[in-house]
Amino acid sequence: MMTMQAGKSAKAVDEIELDAPIFDPNAFRLNDEQAAIIATARGLGRTVFASRAAAYDRDAKFPTENYRDLHRAGLLGIAIPKKHGGLGADYQTYAIAAAEIGRYCGATALTWNMHVCSTLWSGPLADDLDMDASIRADHEQRRAVHYRRIIEDGAIYSQPFSEGGAAAAGGVAFGTEAKPVKGGWIVNGKKIFASLSGHADYYGVLCTEIAEGEKASRRNTLYLALPAKTAGVSVVGDWDPLGMRGTVSRTLLFKDVFVPEDAALMPRGVYFQAAMRWPHMFLTLSPTYVGLAQAAYDFTVSYLRGEVTGTPPVKRRMYPTKQIAVAQMQIKLEQIKAIWFQAVTEARANPTKEQVLRAYAAQYSAMEGANEIATLAIRTCGGQAMLKSLPLERIYRDSRCGSLMLPWTAELCLDRIGREALYETGESDD
Ligand SMILES: Cc1cc2nc3c(=O)[nH]c(=O)nc-3n(C[C@H](O)[C@H](O)[C@H](O)COP(=O)(O)OP(=O)(O)OC[C@H]3O[C@@H](n4cnc5c(N)ncnc54)[C@H](O)[C@@H]3O)c2cc1C
């Protein structure tokens, strides 16, 4: 059963029936702790976020209220280690919880991903990487400050790395520069498509540390949390896109912004090491779209059964062509779930070549597949189902955006799979 009305009363929210989990804990062998965290996300998505999603989308408004609820439920700290007050979820648990949120509000799930990555990358992922003891001790102290802000104050972090050129695709060093000065850095640059702009408390900026006269190098990438209210930070441009409208992904400008040393989310060199040794870090944009694929399928089944709230109880399920389309959607959905579940389950440092190729394939399958399922849903449900009073057309528009997310766009996944399947590292035909 889908919910469409905005502004549900608390009583009505209590009465909303929960959908079955996308990944049944028994069938997918999730433990009780994982299942409980994922159930919290699913419950919040189903009972609260689903009814707010249409308004955020219509007004291209950031889901501020959802963030307050995420904070209250402990989900802003989902990937923060338990010793720092978080839920201590691993990569797989986070990914499945994010899919459940994406099922009900794509923009909330996608922006929550940017926030969670600041803790996932600085937390469990950084723990897998090489640092000498004193650097690790410094990192521990610094991340404790970020984690405290999130757990205690509900601080929201974003993750602007796109600049419009080859940097976000992983090809060259970021053009946003951090010049080392006493006690920190001076940051100058520009980030486009910066989700949560104007709404995050800290912008987790990827930039290149570059001293006077040095050449920019990807090895010198820094990951710095700039307070949104610091002098020299501004948000410009409008935001009126096709889909994912609640992400508010405007342009950020940094003009001579002083950033103190303790703003670093990762020590020097560790982001580059992560990008080389923990490639699944870039698969975290996909859970939202797995959720959208499930949502398009769920809607279709409910609609053809004549069970969508707010629509006449007209059944359409008896037509063979519609049954075939549902079968195709179910097959596609299970294919996405299977490859994606395997990829998020095996995510770790130093994956094998096969695991990396599978991660690209999982990303491609989720990003393109979600929109394929939504396209079939629109065709199969028919004209009355694509009205803006129902969620399907939003799911369709949101799902179209997945393939565009750098660095693993659908095109770049194809490029990489083809090249890396045919060539070993260092091989050429010359
Ligand atoms: C809803 C939404 C939210 C987003 N939120 C964020 C966010 O929070 N943070 C963030 O950093 N980004 C975010 N993005 C940006 C996203 O990750 C991409 O960076 C953006 O969509 C790229 O737009 P573009 O027009 O510059 O793309 P493109 O022009 O397609 O790509 C940019 C550059 O990448 C390289 N490139 C692209 N395709 C190829 C190819 N096939 N082969 C070789 N090189 C290639 C080229 O140098 C190209 O100039 C968001 C995007 C959307 C749609």
Side-chain angles (χ1 to χ4, degrees), residues 110 114 159-162 164-166 168-169 192-196 239 243-244 247 249 285 289 401 404-407 409 411-412 415:
L110 195 62
M114 318 303 180
Q159 202 178 46
F161 64 84
S162 297
I192 65 164
F193 277 99
S195 292
L196 304 96
W239 178 245
M244 289 294 179
T247 61
S249 307
L285 292 158
Y289 296 89
C401 300
L404 317 179
M405 305 302 296
L406 285 169
T409 60
E411 287 182 347
L412 281 160
D415 284 352

PDB file of all heavy atoms in Angstrom, residues 110 114 159-162 164-166 168-169 192-196 239 243-244 247 249 285 289 401 404-407 409 411-412 415, ligand 1:
ATOM      1  N   LEU A 110      19.398  10.152  -1.023  1.00  0.00           N
ATOM      2  CA  LEU A 110      20.614  10.565  -1.734  1.00  0.00           C
ATOM      3  C   LEU A 110      21.427  11.568  -0.911  1.00  0.00           C
ATOM      4  O   LEU A 110      22.654  11.476  -0.824  1.00  0.00           O
ATOM      5  CB  LEU A 110      20.253  11.161  -3.109  1.00  0.00           C
ATOM      6  CG  LEU A 110      21.408  11.289  -4.083  1.00  0.00           C
ATOM      7  CD1 LEU A 110      22.006   9.923  -4.424  1.00  0.00           C
ATOM      8  CD2 LEU A 110      20.947  11.966  -5.384  1.00  0.00           C
ATOM      9  N   MET A 114      25.305  11.438   1.220  1.00  0.00           N
ATOM     10  CA  MET A 114      26.441  12.380   1.267  1.00  0.00           C
ATOM     11  C   MET A 114      26.862  12.576   2.736  1.00  0.00           C
ATOM     12  O   MET A 114      28.042  12.613   3.056  1.00  0.00           O
ATOM     13  CB  MET A 114      26.079  13.750   0.687  1.00  0.00           C
ATOM     14  CG  MET A 114      25.259  13.755  -0.584  1.00  0.00           C
ATOM     15  SD  MET A 114      26.014  12.859  -1.912  1.00  0.00           S
ATOM     16  CE  MET A 114      24.830  13.061  -3.235  1.00  0.00           C
ATOM     17  N   GLN A 159      28.826  16.493   0.803  1.00  0.00           N
ATOM     18  CA  GLN A 159      30.029  15.959   0.180  1.00  0.00           C
ATOM     19  C   GLN A 159      30.222  16.507  -1.230  1.00  0.00           C
ATOM     20  O   GLN A 159      30.069  15.779  -2.222  1.00  0.00           O
ATOM     21  CB  GLN A 159      29.906  14.446   0.125  1.00  0.00           C
ATOM     22  CG  GLN A 159      31.234  13.773   0.002  1.00  0.00           C
ATOM     23  CD  GLN A 159      31.046  12.287   0.002  1.00  0.00           C
ATOM     24  OE1 GLN A 159      30.192  11.762  -0.683  1.00  0.00           O
ATOM     25  NE2 GLN A 159      31.859  11.595   0.756  1.00  0.00           N
ATOM     26  N   PRO A 160      30.543  17.797  -1.337  1.00  0.00           N
ATOM     27  CA  PRO A 160      30.716  18.354  -2.678  1.00  0.00           C
ATOM     28  C   PRO A 160      32.079  18.015  -3.275  1.00  0.00           C
ATOM     29  O   PRO A 160      33.097  18.437  -2.743  1.00  0.00           O
ATOM     30  CB  PRO A 160      30.579  19.867  -2.447  1.00  0.00           C
ATOM     31  CG  PRO A 160      30.889  20.084  -1.010  1.00  0.00           C
ATOM     32  CD  PRO A 160      30.711  18.781  -0.277  1.00  0.00           C
ATOM     33  N   PHE A 161      32.092  17.211  -4.340  1.00  0.00           N
ATOM     34  CA  PHE A 161      33.358  17.034  -5.051  1.00  0.00           C
ATOM     35  C   PHE A 161      33.266  17.407  -6.520  1.00  0.00           C
ATOM     36  O   PHE A 161      34.257  17.721  -7.145  1.00  0.00           O
ATOM     37  CB  PHE A 161      33.995  15.647  -4.814  1.00  0.00           C
ATOM     38  CG  PHE A 161      33.228  14.459  -5.308  1.00  0.00           C
ATOM     39  CD1 PHE A 161      33.314  14.049  -6.625  1.00  0.00           C
ATOM     40  CD2 PHE A 161      32.460  13.721  -4.438  1.00  0.00           C
ATOM     41  CE1 PHE A 161      32.628  12.924  -7.073  1.00  0.00           C
ATOM     42  CE2 PHE A 161      31.759  12.597  -4.881  1.00  0.00           C
ATOM     43  CZ  PHE A 161      31.838  12.202  -6.200  1.00  0.00           C
ATOM     44  N   SER A 162      32.057  17.415  -7.108  1.00  0.00           N
ATOM     45  CA  SER A 162      31.942  17.693  -8.550  1.00  0.00           C
ATOM     46  C   SER A 162      32.316  19.133  -8.877  1.00  0.00           C
ATOM     47  O   SER A 162      31.921  20.065  -8.183  1.00  0.00           O
ATOM     48  CB  SER A 162      30.510  17.443  -9.013  1.00  0.00           C
ATOM     49  OG  SER A 162      30.182  16.093  -8.845  1.00  0.00           O
ATOM     50  N   GLY A 164      32.586  19.944 -12.543  1.00  0.00           N
ATOM     51  CA  GLY A 164      32.223  20.172 -13.948  1.00  0.00           C
ATOM     52  C   GLY A 164      33.261  19.667 -14.930  1.00  0.00           C
ATOM     53  O   GLY A 164      33.010  19.637 -16.132  1.00  0.00           O
ATOM     54  N   GLY A 165      34.425  19.258 -14.450  1.00  0.00           N
ATOM     55  CA  GLY A 165      35.473  18.739 -15.336  1.00  0.00           C
ATOM     56  C   GLY A 165      35.828  17.310 -14.991  1.00  0.00           C
ATOM     57  O   GLY A 165      35.044  16.591 -14.370  1.00  0.00           O
ATOM     58  N   ALA A 166      37.052  16.910 -15.369  1.00  0.00           N
ATOM     59  CA  ALA A 166      37.449  15.509 -15.254  1.00  0.00           C
ATOM     60  C   ALA A 166      37.791  15.081 -13.819  1.00  0.00           C
ATOM     61  O   ALA A 166      37.961  13.890 -13.565  1.00  0.00           O
ATOM     62  CB  ALA A 166      38.631  15.233 -16.166  1.00  0.00           C
ATOM     63  N   ALA A 168      36.036  15.026 -10.916  1.00  0.00           N
ATOM     64  CA  ALA A 168      35.073  14.153 -10.235  1.00  0.00           C
ATOM     65  C   ALA A 168      34.995  12.783 -10.903  1.00  0.00           C
ATOM     66  O   ALA A 168      34.573  11.808 -10.296  1.00  0.00           O
ATOM     67  CB  ALA A 168      33.701  14.810 -10.192  1.00  0.00           C
ATOM     68  N   ALA A 169      35.423  12.714 -12.175  1.00  0.00           N
ATOM     69  CA  ALA A 169      35.464  11.422 -12.872  1.00  0.00           C
ATOM     70  C   ALA A 169      36.712  10.639 -12.468  1.00  0.00           C
ATOM     71  O   ALA A 169      36.918   9.510 -12.899  1.00  0.00           O
ATOM     72  CB  ALA A 169      35.423  11.648 -14.385  1.00  0.00           C
ATOM     73  N   ILE A 192      30.118  22.277  -8.169  1.00  0.00           N
ATOM     74  CA  ILE A 192      28.769  22.299  -8.749  1.00  0.00           C
ATOM     75  C   ILE A 192      27.969  21.110  -8.219  1.00  0.00           C
ATOM     76  O   ILE A 192      28.543  20.172  -7.685  1.00  0.00           O
ATOM     77  CB  ILE A 192      28.808  22.290 -10.300  1.00  0.00           C
ATOM     78  CG1 ILE A 192      29.396  20.975 -10.823  1.00  0.00           C
ATOM     79  CG2 ILE A 192      29.583  23.494 -10.828  1.00  0.00           C
ATOM     80  CD1 ILE A 192      29.120  20.740 -12.309  1.00  0.00           C
ATOM     81  N   PHE A 193      26.663  21.177  -8.385  1.00  0.00           N
ATOM     82  CA  PHE A 193      25.800  20.071  -7.945  1.00  0.00           C
ATOM     83  C   PHE A 193      26.088  19.684  -6.493  1.00  0.00           C
ATOM     84  O   PHE A 193      26.179  18.493  -6.176  1.00  0.00           O
ATOM     85  CB  PHE A 193      25.986  18.842  -8.838  1.00  0.00           C
ATOM     86  CG  PHE A 193      25.179  18.890 -10.104  1.00  0.00           C
ATOM     87  CD1 PHE A 193      25.751  19.269 -11.298  1.00  0.00           C
ATOM     88  CD2 PHE A 193      23.836  18.556 -10.078  1.00  0.00           C
ATOM     89  CE1 PHE A 193      25.003  19.314 -12.460  1.00  0.00           C
ATOM     90  CE2 PHE A 193      23.074  18.602 -11.237  1.00  0.00           C
ATOM     91  CZ  PHE A 193      23.668  18.982 -12.443  1.00  0.00           C
ATOM     92  N   ALA A 194      26.253  20.673  -5.649  1.00  0.00           N
ATOM     93  CA  ALA A 194      26.584  20.388  -4.248  1.00  0.00           C
ATOM     94  C   ALA A 194      25.283  20.159  -3.480  1.00  0.00           C
ATOM     95  O   ALA A 194      24.673  21.097  -2.965  1.00  0.00           O
ATOM     96  CB  ALA A 194      27.364  21.545  -3.653  1.00  0.00           C
ATOM     97  N   SER A 195      24.847  18.893  -3.428  1.00  0.00           N
ATOM     98  CA  SER A 195      23.619  18.563  -2.686  1.00  0.00           C
ATOM     99  C   SER A 195      23.731  19.087  -1.258  1.00  0.00           C
ATOM    100  O   SER A 195      24.820  19.098  -0.689  1.00  0.00           O
ATOM    101  CB  SER A 195      23.406  17.053  -2.644  1.00  0.00           C
ATOM    102  OG  SER A 195      23.100  16.560  -3.923  1.00  0.00           O
ATOM    103  N   LEU A 196      22.617  19.469  -0.688  1.00  0.00           N
ATOM    104  CA  LEU A 196      22.497  20.029   0.672  1.00  0.00           C
ATOM    105  C   LEU A 196      23.061  21.450   0.776  1.00  0.00           C
ATOM    106  O   LEU A 196      23.263  21.961   1.885  1.00  0.00           O
ATOM    107  CB  LEU A 196      23.189  19.159   1.738  1.00  0.00           C
ATOM    108  CG  LEU A 196      22.799  17.692   1.896  1.00  0.00           C
ATOM    109  CD1 LEU A 196      23.745  16.802   1.130  1.00  0.00           C
ATOM    110  CD2 LEU A 196      22.757  17.263   3.346  1.00  0.00           C
ATOM    111  N   TRP A 239      18.022  26.169  -8.653  1.00  0.00           N
ATOM    112  CA  TRP A 239      17.916  24.705  -8.625  1.00  0.00           C
ATOM    113  C   TRP A 239      16.498  24.337  -9.042  1.00  0.00           C
ATOM    114  O   TRP A 239      15.566  24.463  -8.253  1.00  0.00           O
ATOM    115  CB  TRP A 239      18.231  24.185  -7.209  1.00  0.00           C
ATOM    116  CG  TRP A 239      18.092  22.690  -7.078  1.00  0.00           C
ATOM    117  CD1 TRP A 239      17.179  22.015  -6.310  1.00  0.00           C
ATOM    118  CD2 TRP A 239      18.889  21.679  -7.712  1.00  0.00           C
ATOM    119  NE1 TRP A 239      17.356  20.660  -6.441  1.00  0.00           N
ATOM    120  CE2 TRP A 239      18.400  20.423  -7.296  1.00  0.00           C
ATOM    121  CE3 TRP A 239      19.962  21.715  -8.619  1.00  0.00           C
ATOM    122  CZ2 TRP A 239      18.950  19.211  -7.748  1.00  0.00           C
ATOM    123  CZ3 TRP A 239      20.509  20.516  -9.049  1.00  0.00           C
ATOM    124  CH2 TRP A 239      20.010  19.287  -8.622  1.00  0.00           C
ATOM    125  N   GLY A 243      14.698  15.821 -11.690  1.00  0.00           N
ATOM    126  CA  GLY A 243      14.404  14.910 -10.573  1.00  0.00           C
ATOM    127  C   GLY A 243      15.330  15.168  -9.408  1.00  0.00           C
ATOM    128  O   GLY A 243      16.180  16.063  -9.466  1.00  0.00           O
ATOM    129  N   MET A 244      15.153  14.401  -8.332  1.00  0.00           N
ATOM    130  CA  MET A 244      15.951  14.566  -7.113  1.00  0.00           C
ATOM    131  C   MET A 244      15.939  16.027  -6.669  1.00  0.00           C
ATOM    132  O   MET A 244      16.957  16.601  -6.265  1.00  0.00           O
ATOM    133  CB  MET A 244      17.391  14.089  -7.331  1.00  0.00           C
ATOM    134  CG  MET A 244      17.504  12.603  -7.465  1.00  0.00           C
ATOM    135  SD  MET A 244      17.045  11.826  -5.885  1.00  0.00           S
ATOM    136  CE  MET A 244      17.210  10.096  -6.280  1.00  0.00           C
ATOM    137  N   THR A 247      17.141  17.543  -3.254  1.00  0.00           N
ATOM    138  CA  THR A 247      18.556  17.505  -2.867  1.00  0.00           C
ATOM    139  C   THR A 247      19.169  18.908  -2.785  1.00  0.00           C
ATOM    140  O   THR A 247      20.196  19.098  -2.152  1.00  0.00           O
ATOM    141  CB  THR A 247      19.408  16.664  -3.847  1.00  0.00           C
ATOM    142  OG1 THR A 247      19.335  17.236  -5.157  1.00  0.00           O
ATOM    143  CG2 THR A 247      18.945  15.210  -3.892  1.00  0.00           C
ATOM    144  N   SER A 249      20.871  20.873  -4.989  1.00  0.00           N
ATOM    145  CA  SER A 249      22.280  20.709  -5.367  1.00  0.00           C
ATOM    146  C   SER A 249      22.771  21.944  -6.135  1.00  0.00           C
ATOM    147  O   SER A 249      22.994  21.889  -7.343  1.00  0.00           O
ATOM    148  CB  SER A 249      22.434  19.443  -6.214  1.00  0.00           C
ATOM    149  OG  SER A 249      21.870  18.334  -5.556  1.00  0.00           O
ATOM    150  N   LEU A 285      26.339   5.669  -3.858  1.00  0.00           N
ATOM    151  CA  LEU A 285      25.232   6.440  -4.427  1.00  0.00           C
ATOM    152  C   LEU A 285      24.124   5.521  -4.941  1.00  0.00           C
ATOM    153  O   LEU A 285      23.017   5.973  -5.231  1.00  0.00           O
ATOM    154  CB  LEU A 285      25.748   7.334  -5.577  1.00  0.00           C
ATOM    155  CG  LEU A 285      26.678   8.468  -5.128  1.00  0.00           C
ATOM    156  CD1 LEU A 285      27.545   8.951  -6.276  1.00  0.00           C
ATOM    157  CD2 LEU A 285      25.877   9.613  -4.535  1.00  0.00           C
ATOM    158  N   TYR A 289      18.845   4.167  -5.451  1.00  0.00           N
ATOM    159  CA  TYR A 289      18.204   3.758  -6.708  1.00  0.00           C
ATOM    160  C   TYR A 289      17.685   2.325  -6.623  1.00  0.00           C
ATOM    161  O   TYR A 289      16.710   1.984  -7.307  1.00  0.00           O
ATOM    162  CB  TYR A 289      19.177   3.992  -7.879  1.00  0.00           C
ATOM    163  CG  TYR A 289      19.457   5.480  -8.008  1.00  0.00           C
ATOM    164  CD1 TYR A 289      20.490   6.091  -7.312  1.00  0.00           C
ATOM    165  CD2 TYR A 289      18.609   6.291  -8.753  1.00  0.00           C
ATOM    166  CE1 TYR A 289      20.705   7.464  -7.361  1.00  0.00           C
ATOM    167  CE2 TYR A 289      18.805   7.659  -8.816  1.00  0.00           C
ATOM    168  CZ  TYR A 289      19.850   8.242  -8.119  1.00  0.00           C
ATOM    169  OH  TYR A 289      20.029   9.601  -8.178  1.00  0.00           O
ATOM    170  N   CYS A 401      18.039  10.084 -12.706  1.00  0.00           N
ATOM    171  CA  CYS A 401      19.254  10.826 -12.320  1.00  0.00           C
ATOM    172  C   CYS A 401      20.419   9.922 -11.916  1.00  0.00           C
ATOM    173  O   CYS A 401      21.564  10.374 -11.862  1.00  0.00           O
ATOM    174  CB  CYS A 401      18.938  11.768 -11.149  1.00  0.00           C
ATOM    175  SG  CYS A 401      17.679  12.982 -11.545  1.00  0.00           S
ATOM    176  N   LEU A 404      23.829   9.553 -13.827  1.00  0.00           N
ATOM    177  CA  LEU A 404      24.652  10.759 -14.022  1.00  0.00           C
ATOM    178  C   LEU A 404      25.659  10.989 -12.914  1.00  0.00           C
ATOM    179  O   LEU A 404      26.451  11.928 -12.963  1.00  0.00           O
ATOM    180  CB  LEU A 404      23.740  12.006 -14.080  1.00  0.00           C
ATOM    181  CG  LEU A 404      22.461  11.881 -14.898  1.00  0.00           C
ATOM    182  CD1 LEU A 404      21.673  13.175 -14.825  1.00  0.00           C
ATOM    183  CD2 LEU A 404      22.780  11.545 -16.349  1.00  0.00           C
ATOM    184  N   MET A 405      25.600  10.132 -11.886  1.00  0.00           N
ATOM    185  CA  MET A 405      26.391  10.412 -10.693  1.00  0.00           C
ATOM    186  C   MET A 405      27.857  10.008 -10.884  1.00  0.00           C
ATOM    187  O   MET A 405      28.173   8.829 -11.005  1.00  0.00           O
ATOM    188  CB  MET A 405      25.805   9.672  -9.482  1.00  0.00           C
ATOM    189  CG  MET A 405      24.322   9.941  -9.204  1.00  0.00           C
ATOM    190  SD  MET A 405      23.854  11.656  -8.911  1.00  0.00           S
ATOM    191  CE  MET A 405      24.718  12.025  -7.424  1.00  0.00           C
ATOM    192  N   LEU A 406      28.740  10.987 -10.893  1.00  0.00           N
ATOM    193  CA  LEU A 406      30.180  10.723 -10.969  1.00  0.00           C
ATOM    194  C   LEU A 406      30.688  10.263  -9.606  1.00  0.00           C
ATOM    195  O   LEU A 406      30.112  10.630  -8.589  1.00  0.00           O
ATOM    196  CB  LEU A 406      30.912  12.002 -11.404  1.00  0.00           C
ATOM    197  CG  LEU A 406      30.786  12.373 -12.888  1.00  0.00           C
ATOM    198  CD1 LEU A 406      31.321  13.776 -13.135  1.00  0.00           C
ATOM    199  CD2 LEU A 406      31.496  11.376 -13.775  1.00  0.00           C
ATOM    200  N   PRO A 407      31.760   9.485  -9.496  1.00  0.00           N
ATOM    201  CA  PRO A 407      32.610   9.104 -10.628  1.00  0.00           C
ATOM    202  C   PRO A 407      32.144   7.855 -11.374  1.00  0.00           C
ATOM    203  O   PRO A 407      32.730   7.521 -12.391  1.00  0.00           O
ATOM    204  CB  PRO A 407      33.954   8.805  -9.934  1.00  0.00           C
ATOM    205  CG  PRO A 407      33.583   8.354  -8.559  1.00  0.00           C
ATOM    206  CD  PRO A 407      32.331   9.113  -8.198  1.00  0.00           C
ATOM    207  N   THR A 409      29.401   7.073 -13.308  1.00  0.00           N
ATOM    208  CA  THR A 409      28.234   7.222 -14.177  1.00  0.00           C
ATOM    209  C   THR A 409      28.049   5.909 -14.941  1.00  0.00           C
ATOM    210  O   THR A 409      28.977   5.089 -15.042  1.00  0.00           O
ATOM    211  CB  THR A 409      28.437   8.343 -15.204  1.00  0.00           C
ATOM    212  OG1 THR A 409      29.576   8.010 -16.011  1.00  0.00           O
ATOM    213  CG2 THR A 409      28.654   9.702 -14.559  1.00  0.00           C
ATOM    214  N   GLU A 411      27.978   5.486 -18.064  1.00  0.00           N
ATOM    215  CA  GLU A 411      28.970   5.440 -19.161  1.00  0.00           C
ATOM    216  C   GLU A 411      30.354   5.062 -18.643  1.00  0.00           C
ATOM    217  O   GLU A 411      31.057   4.252 -19.252  1.00  0.00           O
ATOM    218  CB  GLU A 411      29.076   6.816 -19.827  1.00  0.00           C
ATOM    219  CG  GLU A 411      27.888   7.179 -20.686  1.00  0.00           C
ATOM    220  CD  GLU A 411      28.076   8.527 -21.361  1.00  0.00           C
ATOM    221  OE1 GLU A 411      29.011   9.266 -20.960  1.00  0.00           O
ATOM    222  OE2 GLU A 411      27.299   8.842 -22.267  1.00  0.00           O
ATOM    223  N   LEU A 412      30.746   5.677 -17.536  1.00  0.00           N
ATOM    224  CA  LEU A 412      32.093   5.381 -17.015  1.00  0.00           C
ATOM    225  C   LEU A 412      32.189   3.943 -16.506  1.00  0.00           C
ATOM    226  O   LEU A 412      33.243   3.317 -16.590  1.00  0.00           O
ATOM    227  CB  LEU A 412      32.493   6.394 -15.945  1.00  0.00           C
ATOM    228  CG  LEU A 412      32.969   7.719 -16.580  1.00  0.00           C
ATOM    229  CD1 LEU A 412      32.903   8.866 -15.600  1.00  0.00           C
ATOM    230  CD2 LEU A 412      34.388   7.595 -17.119  1.00  0.00           C
ATOM    231  N   ASP A 415      32.806   1.978 -19.629  1.00  0.00           N
ATOM    232  CA  ASP A 415      34.218   2.198 -20.054  1.00  0.00           C
ATOM    233  C   ASP A 415      35.165   1.332 -19.228  1.00  0.00           C
ATOM    234  O   ASP A 415      36.042   0.666 -19.752  1.00  0.00           O
ATOM    235  CB  ASP A 415      34.648   3.645 -19.786  1.00  0.00           C
ATOM    236  CG  ASP A 415      34.082   4.624 -20.792  1.00  0.00           C
ATOM    237  OD1 ASP A 415      33.492   4.183 -21.781  1.00  0.00           O
ATOM    238  OD2 ASP A 415      34.247   5.844 -20.563  1.00  0.00           O
TER     239      ASP A 415
HETATM  240  C1  LIG B   1      20.585  15.048  -8.246  1.00  0.00           C
HETATM  241  C2  LIG B   1      22.048  15.166  -8.262  1.00  0.00           C
HETATM  242  C3  LIG B   1      22.725  15.349  -7.071  1.00  0.00           C
HETATM  243  C4  LIG B   1      24.126  15.467  -7.046  1.00  0.00           C
HETATM  244  N1  LIG B   1      24.773  15.662  -5.870  1.00  0.00           N
HETATM  245  C5  LIG B   1      26.119  15.781  -5.849  1.00  0.00           C
HETATM  246  C6  LIG B   1      26.833  16.020  -4.647  1.00  0.00           C
HETATM  247  O1  LIG B   1      26.274  16.102  -3.554  1.00  0.00           O
HETATM  248  N2  LIG B   1      28.171  16.135  -4.696  1.00  0.00           N
HETATM  249  C7  LIG B   1      28.834  16.071  -5.848  1.00  0.00           C
HETATM  250  O2  LIG B   1      30.035  16.183  -5.831  1.00  0.00           O
HETATM  251  N3  LIG B   1      28.206  15.863  -7.022  1.00  0.00           N
HETATM  252  C8  LIG B   1      26.867  15.709  -7.042  1.00  0.00           C
HETATM  253  N4  LIG B   1      26.207  15.517  -8.235  1.00  0.00           N
HETATM  254  C9  LIG B   1      26.981  15.627  -9.484  1.00  0.00           C
HETATM  255  C10 LIG B   1      27.232  14.353 -10.221  1.00  0.00           C
HETATM  256  O3  LIG B   1      27.983  13.438  -9.461  1.00  0.00           O
HETATM  257  C11 LIG B   1      28.000  14.696 -11.486  1.00  0.00           C
HETATM  258  O4  LIG B   1      29.211  15.330 -11.152  1.00  0.00           O
HETATM  259  C12 LIG B   1      27.252  15.617 -12.389  1.00  0.00           C
HETATM  260  O5  LIG B   1      26.005  15.052 -12.701  1.00  0.00           O
HETATM  261  C13 LIG B   1      28.074  15.791 -13.653  1.00  0.00           C
HETATM  262  O6  LIG B   1      27.503  16.781 -14.460  1.00  0.00           O
HETATM  263  P1  LIG B   1      28.280  17.305 -15.755  1.00  0.00           P
HETATM  264  O7  LIG B   1      27.294  18.001 -16.641  1.00  0.00           O
HETATM  265  O8  LIG B   1      29.509  18.042 -15.346  1.00  0.00           O
HETATM  266  O9  LIG B   1      28.640  15.895 -16.392  1.00  0.00           O
HETATM  267  P2  LIG B   1      29.529  15.425 -17.557  1.00  0.00           P
HETATM  268  O10 LIG B   1      29.833  16.515 -18.509  1.00  0.00           O
HETATM  269  O11 LIG B   1      28.877  14.190 -18.072  1.00  0.00           O
HETATM  270  O12 LIG B   1      30.855  14.994 -16.826  1.00  0.00           O
HETATM  271  C14 LIG B   1      31.799  15.902 -16.279  1.00  0.00           C
HETATM  272  C15 LIG B   1      33.187  15.592 -16.780  1.00  0.00           C
HETATM  273  O13 LIG B   1      33.502  14.248 -16.418  1.00  0.00           O
HETATM  274  C16 LIG B   1      34.280  13.631 -17.448  1.00  0.00           C
HETATM  275  N5  LIG B   1      33.505  12.544 -18.082  1.00  0.00           N
HETATM  276  C17 LIG B   1      32.170  12.397 -18.082  1.00  0.00           C
HETATM  277  N6  LIG B   1      31.830  11.305 -18.791  1.00  0.00           N
HETATM  278  C18 LIG B   1      32.956  10.769 -19.265  1.00  0.00           C
HETATM  279  C19 LIG B   1      33.254   9.637 -20.064  1.00  0.00           C
HETATM  280  N7  LIG B   1      32.289   8.811 -20.488  1.00  0.00           N
HETATM  281  N8  LIG B   1      34.548   9.390 -20.342  1.00  0.00           N
HETATM  282  C20 LIG B   1      35.532  10.198 -19.887  1.00  0.00           C
HETATM  283  N9  LIG B   1      35.303  11.280 -19.118  1.00  0.00           N
HETATM  284  C21 LIG B   1      34.033  11.567 -18.817  1.00  0.00           C
HETATM  285  C22 LIG B   1      34.541  14.705 -18.475  1.00  0.00           C
HETATM  286  O14 LIG B   1      35.768  15.330 -18.162  1.00  0.00           O
HETATM  287  C23 LIG B   1      33.383  15.661 -18.283  1.00  0.00           C
HETATM  288  O15 LIG B   1      33.692  16.957 -18.720  1.00  0.00           O
HETATM  289  C24 LIG B   1      24.820  15.398  -8.264  1.00  0.00           C
HETATM  290  C25 LIG B   1      24.136  15.209  -9.474  1.00  0.00           C
HETATM  291  C26 LIG B   1      22.769  15.077  -9.483  1.00  0.00           C
HETATM  292  C27 LIG B   1      22.078  14.872 -10.780  1.00  0.00           C
END
